[in-house]
Structures are given as structure tokens and as C-alpha cells.
Amino acid sequence: MMTVHEVSRLTGVSIRALHHYDRIGLLPPAELTPAGYRLYDDTALERLQCILLFKEIGFPLKEIGRILENSVFDRNRALDQQIALLEMKKEHLENLIDLARGIKMIGVKNLDFTAFDTKKIDEYAKQARESWGHTAQYREYQEKSDGRTSEQERQYGVELMGILAKFGEMKDCAPTSEAVQKQVKKLQDFITDHYYTCSDEILLALGKMYAGGGSMTENIDNAGGEGTAACAARAIQAYCGR
């Protein structure tokens, strides 16, 4: 566990900003001490990384919160976009350095301003924002989540994880069995009721993400036992291929 001061020193995010993130429900601490001091664990720090990545792309804090609470959030996809954006910025800075060195060596002989052009970076960042914020599912999620409190969002997340954890009790059952298939239908209906219309196509993509490794697989397995995420993925595949 880390205190808010330690997190601030580690990340460069001001204490005031961390307090603000907590107040708006974007980054609540893992727990509070008896004296009321905030404590952050590794999960909270991973979430803070995601927040900073989306801030770099240009998302406002309210939109970042909605994306992170969305059940289809793909951290690896966000990292790929951030890596691409940073590589573009690196190339841009290298071009500026080369220009500055050239001016220092030979003076301003050729008035070339191409090194200052950031259109490529700006366009990529715009596309990245649109890829997260302008899908029909995301717009539907926005509409359904308007007016919800952070506690309500957290509760829906707990309920969703509870549905997924139930697959851990079904690991010895055939994916096509009636009980397993009913659980898949319950999962699909819950996502549709509380987030966005969960078509079979979207559900199948979610199943692949559940068993795709990383924090999502770990969280599901932690809730239902090792192999729960893989069991859910197999059940979803059978359901969508029925």
C-alpha cells in the first residue's frame, strides 16, 4: 500500500489532483486508514496509468471514467495507441532537435518549418479518441450511465463480476449444458440492461477478451477461481455458435 504522498512522488501527479480524482469517483483509494488517510494498491496504480494514458490522448476526466467502467475496456488496445502516439511524438522531437542543431551549425539559411508540423500527431490522437468515444455501444452506455453515481457504477461492476464468477462453479460442466448456457444468457442480458445492447457478435468478442490474459483474466479468475475466465469464454463461444 502507498500513501497519497508516495503515489504523488512516484507518478508525478499532484496530491491535489489525486484528491480530485477520488472526489469524482475516477480513482478511489484501495482503502482508508482509521485516521482517514488514503491508501493505494497496485490495482489503483494500474488504473491511474490508464487515466494518464487517456489524458495524453486528450480525453476529459468524465469521459475517462466512463470508458474505464465500460465492460469492454481493453487495456492492451489503449497501450498500443499510446505507444504509437509516443513514437510519433518522439519522431517529432528528434526532427526538432536535428533542425536546432542545423541552425546552430550553419545558421538559418533554409526557412523549413516542416519540423514544427504536428498534424500527423493531432490526427492520430483524434482517431484514437473517436475509436473509444464514438461507437454506437459507447453512446448507448453514455445514455444509460447519465445520472448514475460512482457508487451505482461500482455496484453494477460488482454484480457483473459476480455473474462471471459463477462460471467458476461450472468448470466441470459441458459448455453446451443448459445451466451454463442460461448463465451466458444472464450475462448477455445484464450487459444489455445496464451498459449497451450486447449482440452475439459483441458477446463473442468479450469472451475472447475475458480469456485473453492480462488484468481482465486475472480479475475473473480471482473472483471465481483459476480457469473461470477460460470457462466463460468457452461457454460464450458455444452460445454464439448455437
Side-chain angles (χ1 to χ4, degrees), residues 202-213 216-217 229 232-233 236-237:
I202 291 175
L203 184 63
L204 187 61
L206 286 172
K208 292 177 180 178
M209 286 171 55
Y210 293 157
M216 183 173 290
T217 301
I236 289 170
Q237 187 174 20

Side-chain angles (χ1 to χ4, degrees), residues 121-151:
I121 296 173
D122 295 340
E123 180 60 26
Y124 182 85
K126 178 175 178 288
Q127 290 175 359
R129 289 194 299 272
E130 289 176 349
S131 73
W132 286 100
H134 292 270
T135 63
Q137 292 79 21
Y138 184 72
R139 287 195 297 271
E140 185 179 356
Y141 171 71
Q142 281 186 306
E143 292 171 2
K144 289 186 175 182
S145 63
D146 276 346
R148 289 181 190 169
T149 65
S150 58
E151 177 57 27

Side-chain angles (χ1 to χ4, degrees), residues 158-172:
V158 169
E159 291 179 27
L160 177 60
M161 189 57 69
I163 294 172
L164 288 167
K166 193 71 176 177
F167 286 102
E169 302 174 12
M170 303 177 172
K171 285 180 283 189
D172 295 331

Side-chain angles (χ1 to χ4, degrees), residues 85-103:
L85 186 62
L86 289 172
E87 287 176 343
M88 290 180 186
K89 290 185 176 182
K90 177 185 175 184
E91 180 183 0
H92 175 65
L93 288 173
E94 288 174 344
N95 290 337
L96 288 175
I97 291 170
D98 289 343
L99 175 64
R101 284 174 174 164
I103 293 173

Side-chain angles (χ1 to χ4, degrees), residues 4 11 20 26 43 52 57 63 74 76-77 115 128 132 134 165 197 210 219 232:
V4 68
T11 65
H20 178 61
L26 181 61
T43 300
L52 298 179
I57 293 175
E63 297 298 307
D74 185 346
N76 287 335
R77 176 183 164 206
W132 286 100
H134 292 270
T197 302
Y210 293 157
N219 290 338

Side-chain angles (χ1 to χ4, degrees), residues 3-225:
T3 67
V4 68
H5 290 84
E6 290 170 335
V7 172
S8 179
R9 285 197 297 269
L10 175 67
T11 65
V13 178
S14 70
I15 294 173
R16 181 179 180 182
L18 292 170
H19 287 174
H20 178 61
Y21 293 171
D22 181 17
R23 282 194 299 271
I24 64 176
L26 181 61
L27 183 70
E31 61 181 70
L32 297 175
T33 69
Y37 294 110
R38 298 169 173 86
L39 294 176
Y40 297 83
D41 59 7
D42 288 346
T43 300
L45 292 176
E46 287 182 7
R47 185 177 174 92
L48 178 57
Q49 281 183 330
C50 292
I51 292 168
L52 298 179
L53 292 178
F54 278 109
K55 278 192 66 182
E56 188 68 25
I57 293 175
F59 271 95
L61 296 180
K62 184 176 181 180
E63 297 298 307
I64 294 172
R66 285 175 168 172
I67 290 171
L68 295 183
E69 296 302 329
N70 193 329
S71 63
V72 299
F73 171 63
D74 185 346
R75 187 169 183 268
N76 287 335
R77 176 183 164 206
L79 287 171
D80 286 340
Q81 290 177 332
Q82 182 64 8
I83 289 168
L85 186 62
L86 289 172
E87 287 176 343
M88 290 180 186
K89 290 185 176 182
K90 177 185 175 184
E91 180 183 0
H92 175 65
L93 288 173
E94 288 174 344
N95 290 337
L96 288 175
I97 291 170
D98 289 343
L99 175 64
R101 284 174 174 164
I103 293 173
K104 181 179 179 181
M105 290 175 62
I106 63 175
V108 183
K109 301 293 184 182
N110 180 14
L111 297 177
D112 183 2
F113 288 85
T114 56
F116 297 97
D117 189 355
T118 62
K119 283 198 277 298
K120 182 179 178 181
I121 296 173
D122 295 340
E123 180 60 26
Y124 182 85
K126 178 175 178 288
Q127 290 175 359
R129 289 194 299 272
E130 289 176 349
S131 73
W132 286 100
H134 292 270
T135 63
Q137 292 79 21
Y138 184 72
R139 287 195 297 271
E140 185 179 356
Y141 171 71
Q142 281 186 306
E143 292 171 2
K144 289 186 175 182
S145 63
D146 276 346
R148 289 181 190 169
T149 65
S150 58
E151 177 57 27
Q152 287 173 321
E153 289 287 359
R154 188 196 68 80
Q155 184 58 40
Y156 284 140
V158 169
E159 291 179 27
L160 177 60
M161 189 57 69
I163 294 172
L164 288 167
K166 193 71 176 177
F167 286 102
E169 302 174 12
M170 303 177 172
K171 285 180 283 189
D172 295 331
C173 300
T176 54
S177 68
E178 183 180 357
V180 174
Q181 291 295 287
K182 281 185 176 179
Q183 190 65 15
V184 177
K185 181 65 164 59
K186 183 177 181 179
L187 171 65
Q188 186 179 39
D189 289 346
F190 184 88
I191 294 172
T192 295
D193 291 342
H194 299 291
Y195 295 102
Y196 47 78
T197 302
C198 185
S199 65
D200 285 1
E201 182 182 5
I202 291 175
L203 184 63
L204 187 61
L206 286 172
K208 292 177 180 178
M209 286 171 55
Y210 293 157
S215 59
M216 183 173 290
T217 301
E218 291 175 5
N219 290 338
I220 295 173
D221 283 355
N222 286 338

